[in-house]
Amino acid sequence: MSRTALRAWAELLRLPALFTVPGDALVGAAAVNARPSRGTFLAIGSSLCLYEAGMALNDWADRAEDAVDRPHRPIPSGRIRPGAALLAAGAFTAAGVGLAARAGRLPAAISTALAATVWAYDLGLKRTPAGPVAMGAARGLDVLLGAGASHNDGARPLGSATGAALTMTVHTTAVTAVSRHETTGGNVLAPAAALATTATLAGALLRTPVGRGAAAPLGLPGPTAYALTAARPLLHAALNPSPPLTQRAVGAGIRAMIPLQAALTARAGAPAAALLTAALAPLARRFAKKVSVT
């Protein structure tokens, strides 16, 4: 495959955004007091595949709209055929559900629900008022996938992961609401609401006790890094909701998921997983300069 083709697929799949995915499973595992295991890594693999399925399907579903608003995207520019993108979405979906099934029946069921949510969002819900909530639910299910795949007899009940899943759901819903105006701009309410959501979640995290050991240093920097990553671009977009500033706010909101995941993992008492998750942030920032995450 040529470098041009590789670049096109990297853009279609928004590869830098993949750094925001592993933390979901690690948050889920930490929330049920389970150490990362084979099941956790199967959940991470499943999540990565299903995320990429959503990216490919998103551009396939938006190909007519992108031809007008974003003709540089891989499909409208002719660098990737629509059929190839749809085939990739199907292959990634099958691989994602298959990997989760290897971790057990519960992960298989959760991954199936996650895949259904992704396809429902891209093929219909995206353009309805339920769109942001559906996307948020996908992130929440991703956390529960990690919890279900990592769960063992000595772990806490799966319900212990619902708080972390809800936190990721709320943040993702807010960012998705902003993303609906990436190409048109002009919306002040969405970035303002996302900014308020960021402040609320960061404040709640700061009031929550952090785990001991190596995770303790993330007690203040974790939520602070989350707030600082997302807040400034959201404020700029609220003050001047132009398409470039709105797109920048969406990108920052996506990258902010990493420090948010690190903070949640630290508070669940998983220091190694929290530090590993936090280490993904500079990588995401670096690669986002080469390939857009939106």
Side-chain angles (χ1 to χ4, degrees), residues 136-226:
R139 274 286 172 173
L141 284 169
D142 207 27
V143 173
L144 295 179
L145 174 59
S150 307
H151 195 265
N152 55 52
D153 293 338
R156 303 186 188 110
L158 286 179
S160 301
T162 55
L166 182 59
T167 298
M168 294 303 301
T169 295
V170 169
H171 172 79
T172 305
T173 299
V175 174
T176 305
V178 179
S179 73
R180 291 161 74 97
H181 309 281
E182 279 187 275
T183 59
T184 60
N187 187 286
V188 173
L189 181 59
L195 180 60
T197 299
T198 299
T200 301
L201 293 178
L205 286 168
L206 287 170
R207 292 191 296 270
T208 305
V210 69
R212 297 179 179 179
L218 289 171
L220 178 61
T224 303
Y226 159 64

Side-chain angles (χ1 to χ4, degrees), residues 5-20:
L6 288 173
R7 172 77 185 191
W9 280 102
E11 291 179 21
L12 180 83
L13 300 175
R14 296 167 176 83
L15 290 185
L18 285 180
F19 290 105
T20 73

